Amino acid sequence: MTNESDPARSSRAWLKSYYFTRFAVSAAWVVLAFAVAKTMPLVAALMLVAYPAWDAVANFIDAQRTGGLSRNKPQLLNFIISVITTVAVALALGRSMNAVLAVFGIWAVLSGIFQLATAMRRWKSGAQWAMVLSGAQSALAGIFFVKMAGGAETIDITDVAPYAAFGSFYFIVSAIWLTVSEARRKPAQALR
């Protein structure tokens, strides 16, 4: 007999799958940024537009699995800002990489705050401490991006890639944490 409800177990299973997927996509993006896009401006441009677009899609799907956007206001806001950022990055590419980095910076601050809020709402699901750290790190990175965008340094996709790498790291930590927690929970439930 178990005290755990099926919705709670289903929620953790979804989050684990979601976090593994977010990790895989972000990790692949980082590898491509360093291996291919650094020397291929068209690929870099496509990847820079795709990154916030993927975040919008991921937030939309996650919200739909957990009650819809109307029940998940931080994810609704994250979805909206990611869609706006996708368009803004596409437009900023016509100006300069400094403009692109400024857009990424503003997005990182806002999406980090919304991610932090989502993690706090999900605290009981487990592994949310990593998402809280990720949200806080995203907001700080965003401030750094905006400051860097105002400088004279040459900027390219590899300046954004470490941000994506840290995000990927936090997603895999959360996925592994949920997996380990689930493995520990099963023997305990069998004894009940």
Side-chain angles (χ1 to χ4, degrees), residues 104-149:
F104 260 90
I106 294 165
W107 174 59
V109 169
L110 294 173
S111 68
I113 291 167
F114 300 143
Q115 181 180 21
L116 192 120
T118 298
M120 296 307 292
R121 288 183 67 238
R122 289 181 165 165
W123 192 260
K124 290 182 180 179
S125 297
Q128 295 306 302
W129 60 269
M131 293 293 98
V132 167
L133 290 175
S134 179
Q137 179 267 328
S138 179
L140 290 174
I143 294 167
F144 176 75
F145 281 171
V146 170
K147 183 178 179 192
M148 187 177 170

Side-chain angles (χ1 to χ4, degrees), residues 61-80:
I61 292 169
D62 184 32
Q64 292 304 104
R65 290 291 306 246
T66 56
L69 289 171
S70 63
R71 287 192 52 199
N72 295 288
K73 297 298 186 220
Q75 284 184 294
L76 169 64
L77 295 171
N78 212 342
F79 168 75
I80 291 168

Side-chain angles (χ1 to χ4, degrees), residues 11-134:
S11 173
R12 275 194 307 277
W14 161 250
L15 281 178
K16 184 171 67 169
S17 172
Y18 176 67
Y19 291 154
F20 274 123
T21 301
R22 294 290 307 256
F23 159 74
V25 171
S26 293
W29 192 93
V30 170
V31 169
L32 287 173
F34 283 108
V36 178
K38 182 173 175 53
T39 58
M40 300 177 73
L42 181 58
V43 173
L46 292 172
M47 287 178 63
L48 288 166
V49 171
Y51 195 78
W54 158 245
D55 193 70
V57 169
N59 273 289
F60 180 81
I61 292 169
D62 184 32
Q64 292 304 104
R65 290 291 306 246
T66 56
L69 289 171
S70 63
R71 287 192 52 199
N72 295 288
K73 297 298 186 220
Q75 284 184 294
L76 169 64
L77 295 171
N78 212 342
F79 168 75
I80 291 168
I81 196 67
S82 293
V83 169
I84 292 168
T85 300
T86 301
V87 174
V89 167
L91 295 173
L93 282 164
R95 291 192 63 208
S96 69
M97 277 302 295
N98 290 63
V100 170
L101 192 62
V103 170
F104 260 90
I106 294 165
W107 174 59
V109 169
L110 294 173
S111 68
I113 291 167
F114 300 143
Q115 181 180 21
L116 192 120
T118 298
M120 296 307 292
R121 288 183 67 238
R122 289 181 165 165
W123 192 260
K124 290 182 180 179
S125 297
Q128 295 306 302
W129 60 269
M131 293 293 98
V132 167
L133 290 175
S134 179

